[in-house]
């Protein structure tokens, strides 16, 4: 069966209020490895990862969050943000959870690849090499294009009162 890959992820957010209007900040990560080094624009991602037909998308999002950040998934209500098809053809499903996380506590997972290409040398790199809390405007500049919709959907829900700031 040939099909494009599927990924699932979890977007942490915290509710802010400025001039009486509710908004959000989101936690995103800069993709690790040599391909993304030195890039900022469209080089960040929601913590996410691929999963196969034997795994549930929510379980994959939970597993990938722990693998990529090295910390447990914070408790809280999961808010469905739907799916988005990436340029690569991969479909990403995302949820959001309201939580505050100290980025200093993150211990990113790693992956191994041949680098430099063709050298025969295997090197280890962090899956995500840094994390940051961003406003929706900052996230729009940093996130890869196909994931920006998740921040927009979350922002709409929070502004509409669908997400609570009660912990």
């Amino acid at each position: 069966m040939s099909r494009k890959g599927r990924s699932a992820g979890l977007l942490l957010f915290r509710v802010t209020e400025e001039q009486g209007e509710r908004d959000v900040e989101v936690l995103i990560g800069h993709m690790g490895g040599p391909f993304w080094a030195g890039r900022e624009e469209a080089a960040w991602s929601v913590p996410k990862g691929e999963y196969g037909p034997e795994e549930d998308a929510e379980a994959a999002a939970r597993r990938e969050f722990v693998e990529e950040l090295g910390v447990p998934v914070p408790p809280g209500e999961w808010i469905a943000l739907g799916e988005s098809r990436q340029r690569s053809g991969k479909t990403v499903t995302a949820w959001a959870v309201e939580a505050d996380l100290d980025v200093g506590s993150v211990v990113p997972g790693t992956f191994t690849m041949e680098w430099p290409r063709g050298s025969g040398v295997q090197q280890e790199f962090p899956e995500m090499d840094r994390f940051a809390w961003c406003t929706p405007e900052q996230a729009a500049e940093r996130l890869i294009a196909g994931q920006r919709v998740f921040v927009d959907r979350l922002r709409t829900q929070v502004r509409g009162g669908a997400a609570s700031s009660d912990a």
Side-chain angles (χ1 to χ4, degrees), residues 108-127:
T110 59
F111 69 95
T112 302
M113 67 178 279
E114 180 185 30
W115 190 257
R117 284 192 180 131
S119 69
V121 176
Q122 296 290 312
Q123 293 192 46
E124 195 170 271
F125 298 96
E127 295 216 22

Side-chain angles (χ1 to χ4, degrees), residues 12-167:
L12 293 191
F13 74 99
R14 51 191 184 195
V15 175
T16 62
E17 193 164 325
E18 193 167 318
Q19 298 175 339
E21 186 172 13
R22 290 166 53 96
D23 210 341
V24 295
E25 288 182 327
V26 294
L27 182 69
I28 58 175
H30 183 269
M31 292 183 275
F35 180 77
W36 301 103
R39 297 180 185 202
E40 282 298 312
E41 189 175 314
W44 293 67
S45 176
V46 170
K48 64 162 188 56
E50 292 186 0
Y51 67 99
E54 72 290 345
E55 188 175 19
D56 172 79
E58 273 190 59
R62 183 176 299 278
R63 174 182 51 77
E64 286 294 331
F65 183 91
V66 172
E67 283 180 13
E68 294 199 352
L69 282 84
V71 296
V73 173
E77 177 187 348
W78 284 42
I79 299 168
L81 299 177
E83 294 183 343
S84 175
R85 189 178 177 98
Q86 312 294 279
R87 284 188 188 141
S88 66
K90 180 185 294 182
T91 300
V92 177
T93 305
W95 289 266
V97 171
E98 184 176 357
D100 200 359
L101 179 71
D102 174 8
V103 294
S105 68
V106 171
V107 181
T110 59
F111 69 95
T112 302
M113 67 178 279
E114 180 185 30
W115 190 257
R117 284 192 180 131
S119 69
V121 176
Q122 296 290 312
Q123 293 192 46
E124 195 170 271
F125 298 96
E127 295 216 22
M128 293 184 149
D129 56 22
R130 63 189 185 279
F131 296 85
W133 285 100
C134 299
T135 65
E137 292 78 17
Q138 292 166 328
E141 292 177 10
R142 293 178 175 181
L143 281 171
I144 63 169
Q147 293 180 21
R148 295 173 188 160
V149 66
F150 297 130
V151 177
D152 294 340
R153 291 172 185 166
L154 174 63
R155 192 178 206 189
T156 298
Q157 289 193 41
V158 168
R159 286 182 165 177
S164 166
S165 62
D166 298 334

